[in-house]
Amino acid sequence: MDRDEFVADCRIRAATDLFAHTWDPVVLAALAQGPRRRRELRTAIGGISDKVLTQALHRLLANGLIGRHAHAEAPPRVEYALTGLGQSLVDGPLKALGHWAGEYGDELLAAQEKAARNVADAGL
């Protein structure tokens, strides 16, 4: 695929949109350990509000990356798990991004902090 095809390909835009929401990759990573209930997800992730978790779960379900299984029990129990598509995203691009963040994360954070200081110093 040449560069112009890559830029114009709506499949590329659809794939990069999967990383547009901060919490979506985090939820996927939390589900990489296996199926979890929503309370277990919130505990595993930490710092995510119930509303934001609900939004992330809806997006991930709509994209076919996770599945929702309601167990016929009293009280009702619902678990979320990666689909095959979600597992491929976790094992491929998300894993590669994690390796990159491990190697270059400090440099990235330092650059962001420097840019924030420059903005503050300039009074912008």
Side-chain angles (χ1 to χ4, degrees):
M1 182 179 276
D2 76 23
R3 184 182 51 201
D4 291 335
E5 288 175 321
F6 184 77
V7 170
D9 191 341
C10 65
R11 291 172 295 188
I12 296 298
R13 288 192 303 273
T16 56
D17 281 349
L18 299 174
F19 293 97
H21 299 278
T22 302
W23 291 104
D24 293 6
V26 177
V27 172
L28 291 170
L31 287 172
Q33 305 305 311
R36 292 186 185 214
R37 297 176 73 176
R38 122 184 241 100
R39 182 183 58 232
E40 294 169 335
L41 278 171
R42 282 195 67 197
T43 300
I45 295 169
I48 188 171
S49 73
D50 193 54
K51 177 183 175 183
V52 172
L53 178 57
T54 297
Q55 292 169 342
L57 291 171
H58 283 225
R59 276 190 304 273
L60 295 170
L61 282 162
N63 282 304
L65 299 173
I66 64 171
R68 180 184 185 274
H69 183 342
H71 297 269
E73 300 174 354
R77 180 170 59 103
V78 175
E79 287 184 327
Y80 296 91
L82 294 174
T83 62
L85 182 63
Q87 189 68 54
S88 71
L89 181 65
V90 168
D91 291 343
L94 194 57
K95 187 175 185 178
L97 182 61
H99 287 302
W100 182 88
E103 187 168 341
Y104 297 104
D106 290 341
E107 187 177 338
L108 175 64
L109 293 174
Q112 290 174 348
E113 289 171 10
K114 180 180 177 184
R117 281 193 308 274
N118 290 343
V119 167
D121 291 345
L124 299 176

PDB file of all heavy atoms in Angstrom, residues 25-47:
ATOM      1  N   PRO A  25      -8.435   1.707  25.309  1.00  0.00           N
ATOM      2  CA  PRO A  25      -7.317   0.756  25.364  1.00  0.00           C
ATOM      3  C   PRO A  25      -7.056   0.224  26.778  1.00  0.00           C
ATOM      4  O   PRO A  25      -6.649  -0.922  26.948  1.00  0.00           O
ATOM      5  CB  PRO A  25      -6.118   1.561  24.859  1.00  0.00           C
ATOM      6  CG  PRO A  25      -6.700   2.689  24.093  1.00  0.00           C
ATOM      7  CD  PRO A  25      -8.000   2.999  24.757  1.00  0.00           C
ATOM      8  N   VAL A  26      -7.331   1.050  27.782  1.00  0.00           N
ATOM      9  CA  VAL A  26      -7.136   0.624  29.172  1.00  0.00           C
ATOM     10  C   VAL A  26      -8.134  -0.481  29.524  1.00  0.00           C
ATOM     11  O   VAL A  26      -7.781  -1.474  30.161  1.00  0.00           O
ATOM     12  CB  VAL A  26      -7.269   1.830  30.134  1.00  0.00           C
ATOM     13  CG1 VAL A  26      -7.148   1.393  31.586  1.00  0.00           C
ATOM     14  CG2 VAL A  26      -6.236   2.900  29.799  1.00  0.00           C
ATOM     15  N   VAL A  27      -9.384  -0.315  29.093  1.00  0.00           N
ATOM     16  CA  VAL A  27     -10.401  -1.340  29.336  1.00  0.00           C
ATOM     17  C   VAL A  27     -10.017  -2.635  28.609  1.00  0.00           C
ATOM     18  O   VAL A  27     -10.117  -3.729  29.170  1.00  0.00           O
ATOM     19  CB  VAL A  27     -11.800  -0.850  28.914  1.00  0.00           C
ATOM     20  CG1 VAL A  27     -12.826  -1.973  28.978  1.00  0.00           C
ATOM     21  CG2 VAL A  27     -12.247   0.322  29.792  1.00  0.00           C
ATOM     22  N   LEU A  28      -9.558  -2.497  27.377  1.00  0.00           N
ATOM     23  CA  LEU A  28      -9.122  -3.683  26.633  1.00  0.00           C
ATOM     24  C   LEU A  28      -7.986  -4.399  27.355  1.00  0.00           C
ATOM     25  O   LEU A  28      -7.985  -5.627  27.468  1.00  0.00           O
ATOM     26  CB  LEU A  28      -8.694  -3.300  25.216  1.00  0.00           C
ATOM     27  CG  LEU A  28      -9.804  -2.847  24.272  1.00  0.00           C
ATOM     28  CD1 LEU A  28      -9.205  -2.278  22.993  1.00  0.00           C
ATOM     29  CD2 LEU A  28     -10.763  -3.989  23.977  1.00  0.00           C
ATOM     30  N   ALA A  29      -7.031  -3.637  27.834  1.00  0.00           N
ATOM     31  CA  ALA A  29      -5.904  -4.238  28.554  1.00  0.00           C
ATOM     32  C   ALA A  29      -6.384  -4.945  29.824  1.00  0.00           C
ATOM     33  O   ALA A  29      -5.895  -6.030  30.154  1.00  0.00           O
ATOM     34  CB  ALA A  29      -4.867  -3.172  28.889  1.00  0.00           C
ATOM     35  N   ALA A  30      -7.347  -4.356  30.504  1.00  0.00           N
ATOM     36  CA  ALA A  30      -7.886  -4.983  31.719  1.00  0.00           C
ATOM     37  C   ALA A  30      -8.613  -6.281  31.390  1.00  0.00           C
ATOM     38  O   ALA A  30      -8.585  -7.228  32.182  1.00  0.00           O
ATOM     39  CB  ALA A  30      -8.820  -4.013  32.445  1.00  0.00           C
ATOM     40  N   LEU A  31      -9.241  -6.336  30.230  1.00  0.00           N
ATOM     41  CA  LEU A  31      -9.948  -7.551  29.830  1.00  0.00           C
ATOM     42  C   LEU A  31      -9.011  -8.617  29.259  1.00  0.00           C
ATOM     43  O   LEU A  31      -9.425  -9.753  29.064  1.00  0.00           O
ATOM     44  CB  LEU A  31     -11.051  -7.216  28.819  1.00  0.00           C
ATOM     45  CG  LEU A  31     -12.261  -6.499  29.416  1.00  0.00           C
ATOM     46  CD1 LEU A  31     -13.199  -6.037  28.319  1.00  0.00           C
ATOM     47  CD2 LEU A  31     -12.983  -7.384  30.419  1.00  0.00           C
ATOM     48  N   ALA A  32      -7.766  -8.258  29.013  1.00  0.00           N
ATOM     49  CA  ALA A  32      -6.800  -9.233  28.500  1.00  0.00           C
ATOM     50  C   ALA A  32      -6.549 -10.342  29.523  1.00  0.00           C
ATOM     51  O   ALA A  32      -6.127 -11.436  29.155  1.00  0.00           O
ATOM     52  CB  ALA A  32      -5.489  -8.542  28.130  1.00  0.00           C
ATOM     53  N   GLN A  33      -6.834 -10.072  30.785  1.00  0.00           N
ATOM     54  CA  GLN A  33      -6.657 -11.070  31.847  1.00  0.00           C
ATOM     55  C   GLN A  33      -7.797 -12.080  31.870  1.00  0.00           C
ATOM     56  O   GLN A  33      -7.725 -13.059  32.589  1.00  0.00           O
ATOM     57  CB  GLN A  33      -6.565 -10.378  33.208  1.00  0.00           C
ATOM     58  CG  GLN A  33      -5.492  -9.324  33.291  1.00  0.00           C
ATOM     59  CD  GLN A  33      -4.121  -9.854  32.925  1.00  0.00           C
ATOM     60  OE1 GLN A  33      -3.701 -10.890  33.417  1.00  0.00           O
ATOM     61  NE2 GLN A  33      -3.434  -9.156  32.050  1.00  0.00           N
ATOM     62  N   GLY A  34      -8.857 -11.815  31.112  1.00  0.00           N
ATOM     63  CA  GLY A  34     -10.008 -12.710  31.069  1.00  0.00           C
ATOM     64  C   GLY A  34     -11.289 -11.955  31.357  1.00  0.00           C
ATOM     65  O   GLY A  34     -11.265 -10.756  31.646  1.00  0.00           O
ATOM     66  N   PRO A  35     -12.425 -12.641  31.261  1.00  0.00           N
ATOM     67  CA  PRO A  35     -13.723 -11.991  31.480  1.00  0.00           C
ATOM     68  C   PRO A  35     -13.803 -11.351  32.864  1.00  0.00           C
ATOM     69  O   PRO A  35     -13.254 -11.887  33.840  1.00  0.00           O
ATOM     70  CB  PRO A  35     -14.728 -13.137  31.372  1.00  0.00           C
ATOM     71  CG  PRO A  35     -14.029 -14.198  30.600  1.00  0.00           C
ATOM     72  CD  PRO A  35     -12.572 -14.065  30.949  1.00  0.00           C
ATOM     73  N   ARG A  36     -14.472 -10.207  32.905  1.00  0.00           N
ATOM     74  CA  ARG A  36     -14.624  -9.491  34.176  1.00  0.00           C
ATOM     75  C   ARG A  36     -15.992  -8.849  34.258  1.00  0.00           C
ATOM     76  O   ARG A  36     -16.555  -8.434  33.247  1.00  0.00           O
ATOM     77  CB  ARG A  36     -13.573  -8.391  34.320  1.00  0.00           C
ATOM     78  CG  ARG A  36     -12.181  -8.911  34.487  1.00  0.00           C
ATOM     79  CD  ARG A  36     -11.236  -7.783  34.777  1.00  0.00           C
ATOM     80  NE  ARG A  36      -9.879  -8.290  34.818  1.00  0.00           N
ATOM     81  CZ  ARG A  36      -8.954  -7.813  35.619  1.00  0.00           C
ATOM     82  NH1 ARG A  36      -9.209  -6.841  36.439  1.00  0.00           N
ATOM     83  NH2 ARG A  36      -7.735  -8.305  35.590  1.00  0.00           N
ATOM     84  N   ARG A  37     -16.466  -8.731  35.471  1.00  0.00           N
ATOM     85  CA  ARG A  37     -17.673  -7.968  35.731  1.00  0.00           C
ATOM     86  C   ARG A  37     -17.291  -6.498  35.771  1.00  0.00           C
ATOM     87  O   ARG A  37     -16.125  -6.153  35.946  1.00  0.00           O
ATOM     88  CB  ARG A  37     -18.290  -8.425  37.048  1.00  0.00           C
ATOM     89  CG  ARG A  37     -18.725  -9.890  36.988  1.00  0.00           C
ATOM     90  CD  ARG A  37     -19.234 -10.371  38.298  1.00  0.00           C
ATOM     91  NE  ARG A  37     -20.555  -9.787  38.544  1.00  0.00           N
ATOM     92  CZ  ARG A  37     -21.301 -10.083  39.581  1.00  0.00           C
ATOM     93  NH1 ARG A  37     -20.877 -10.945  40.478  1.00  0.00           N
ATOM     94  NH2 ARG A  37     -22.478  -9.520  39.738  1.00  0.00           N
ATOM     95  N   ARG A  38     -18.297  -5.642  35.643  1.00  0.00           N
ATOM     96  CA  ARG A  38     -18.026  -4.198  35.583  1.00  0.00           C
ATOM     97  C   ARG A  38     -17.343  -3.702  36.854  1.00  0.00           C
ATOM     98  O   ARG A  38     -16.420  -2.891  36.796  1.00  0.00           O
ATOM     99  CB  ARG A  38     -19.339  -3.505  35.222  1.00  0.00           C
ATOM    100  CG  ARG A  38     -19.881  -2.581  36.002  1.00  0.00           C
ATOM    101  CD  ARG A  38     -21.242  -2.040  35.573  1.00  0.00           C
ATOM    102  NE  ARG A  38     -21.084  -0.652  35.344  1.00  0.00           N
ATOM    103  CZ  ARG A  38     -20.939  -0.099  34.173  1.00  0.00           C
ATOM    104  NH1 ARG A  38     -21.019  -0.789  33.095  1.00  0.00           N
ATOM    105  NH2 ARG A  38     -20.759   1.174  34.085  1.00  0.00           N
ATOM    106  N   ARG A  39     -17.754  -4.177  38.014  1.00  0.00           N
ATOM    107  CA  ARG A  39     -17.123  -3.760  39.272  1.00  0.00           C
ATOM    108  C   ARG A  39     -15.652  -4.191  39.294  1.00  0.00           C
ATOM    109  O   ARG A  39     -14.773  -3.453  39.743  1.00  0.00           O
ATOM    110  CB  ARG A  39     -17.889  -4.357  40.458  1.00  0.00           C
ATOM    111  CG  ARG A  39     -17.337  -3.949  41.813  1.00  0.00           C
ATOM    112  CD  ARG A  39     -18.078  -4.613  42.969  1.00  0.00           C
ATOM    113  NE  ARG A  39     -17.989  -6.063  42.807  1.00  0.00           N
ATOM    114  CZ  ARG A  39     -19.028  -6.893  42.823  1.00  0.00           C
ATOM    115  NH1 ARG A  39     -20.233  -6.461  43.008  1.00  0.00           N
ATOM    116  NH2 ARG A  39     -18.851  -8.195  42.661  1.00  0.00           N
ATOM    117  N   GLU A  40     -15.379  -5.386  38.789  1.00  0.00           N
ATOM    118  CA  GLU A  40     -13.997  -5.872  38.719  1.00  0.00           C
ATOM    119  C   GLU A  40     -13.169  -5.009  37.774  1.00  0.00           C
ATOM    120  O   GLU A  40     -11.990  -4.750  38.041  1.00  0.00           O
ATOM    121  CB  GLU A  40     -13.974  -7.326  38.252  1.00  0.00           C
ATOM    122  CG  GLU A  40     -14.608  -8.294  39.220  1.00  0.00           C
ATOM    123  CD  GLU A  40     -14.803  -9.679  38.632  1.00  0.00           C
ATOM    124  OE1 GLU A  40     -14.899  -9.824  37.400  1.00  0.00           O
ATOM    125  OE2 GLU A  40     -14.869 -10.629  39.425  1.00  0.00           O
ATOM    126  N   LEU A  41     -13.794  -4.584  36.681  1.00  0.00           N
ATOM    127  CA  LEU A  41     -13.089  -3.701  35.743  1.00  0.00           C
ATOM    128  C   LEU A  41     -12.732  -2.379  36.407  1.00  0.00           C
ATOM    129  O   LEU A  41     -11.602  -1.912  36.289  1.00  0.00           O
ATOM    130  CB  LEU A  41     -13.950  -3.424  34.504  1.00  0.00           C
ATOM    131  CG  LEU A  41     -13.936  -4.482  33.425  1.00  0.00           C
ATOM    132  CD1 LEU A  41     -14.993  -4.177  32.371  1.00  0.00           C
ATOM    133  CD2 LEU A  41     -12.566  -4.591  32.793  1.00  0.00           C
ATOM    134  N   ARG A  42     -13.702  -1.772  37.096  1.00  0.00           N
ATOM    135  CA  ARG A  42     -13.443  -0.482  37.762  1.00  0.00           C
ATOM    136  C   ARG A  42     -12.331  -0.617  38.783  1.00  0.00           C
ATOM    137  O   ARG A  42     -11.465   0.252  38.895  1.00  0.00           O
ATOM    138  CB  ARG A  42     -14.705   0.049  38.427  1.00  0.00           C
ATOM    139  CG  ARG A  42     -15.648   0.676  37.419  1.00  0.00           C
ATOM    140  CD  ARG A  42     -16.702   1.511  38.050  1.00  0.00           C
ATOM    141  NE  ARG A  42     -16.099   2.678  38.666  1.00  0.00           N
ATOM    142  CZ  ARG A  42     -16.719   3.421  39.564  1.00  0.00           C
ATOM    143  NH1 ARG A  42     -17.933   3.124  39.954  1.00  0.00           N
ATOM    144  NH2 ARG A  42     -16.136   4.474  40.080  1.00  0.00           N
ATOM    145  N   THR A  43     -12.325  -1.715  39.520  1.00  0.00           N
ATOM    146  CA  THR A  43     -11.285  -1.946  40.522  1.00  0.00           C
ATOM    147  C   THR A  43      -9.923  -2.142  39.854  1.00  0.00           C
ATOM    148  O   THR A  43      -8.923  -1.560  40.290  1.00  0.00           O
ATOM    149  CB  THR A  43     -11.635  -3.175  41.392  1.00  0.00           C
ATOM    150  OG1 THR A  43     -12.889  -2.931  42.043  1.00  0.00           O
ATOM    151  CG2 THR A  43     -10.564  -3.450  42.424  1.00  0.00           C
ATOM    152  N   ALA A  44      -9.895  -2.945  38.803  1.00  0.00           N
ATOM    153  CA  ALA A  44      -8.634  -3.227  38.109  1.00  0.00           C
ATOM    154  C   ALA A  44      -8.055  -1.971  37.467  1.00  0.00           C
ATOM    155  O   ALA A  44      -6.839  -1.772  37.460  1.00  0.00           O
ATOM    156  CB  ALA A  44      -8.848  -4.307  37.048  1.00  0.00           C
ATOM    157  N   ILE A  45      -8.924  -1.136  36.925  1.00  0.00           N
ATOM    158  CA  ILE A  45      -8.466   0.059  36.212  1.00  0.00           C
ATOM    159  C   ILE A  45      -8.127   1.176  37.189  1.00  0.00           C
ATOM    160  O   ILE A  45      -7.073   1.800  37.105  1.00  0.00           O
ATOM    161  CB  ILE A  45      -9.520   0.526  35.192  1.00  0.00           C
ATOM    162  CG1 ILE A  45      -9.678  -0.526  34.101  1.00  0.00           C
ATOM    163  CG2 ILE A  45      -9.165   1.889  34.612  1.00  0.00           C
ATOM    164  CD1 ILE A  45     -10.863  -0.313  33.194  1.00  0.00           C
ATOM    165  N   GLY A  46      -9.020   1.467  38.111  1.00  0.00           N
ATOM    166  CA  GLY A  46      -8.809   2.558  39.055  1.00  0.00           C
ATOM    167  C   GLY A  46      -8.868   3.912  38.368  1.00  0.00           C
ATOM    168  O   GLY A  46      -8.393   4.071  37.250  1.00  0.00           O
ATOM    169  N   GLY A  47      -9.505   4.872  38.997  1.00  0.00           N
ATOM    170  CA  GLY A  47      -9.544   6.226  38.462  1.00  0.00           C
ATOM    171  C   GLY A  47     -10.541   6.454  37.341  1.00  0.00           C
ATOM    172  O   GLY A  47     -10.575   7.532  36.762  1.00  0.00           O
TER     173      GLY A  47
END
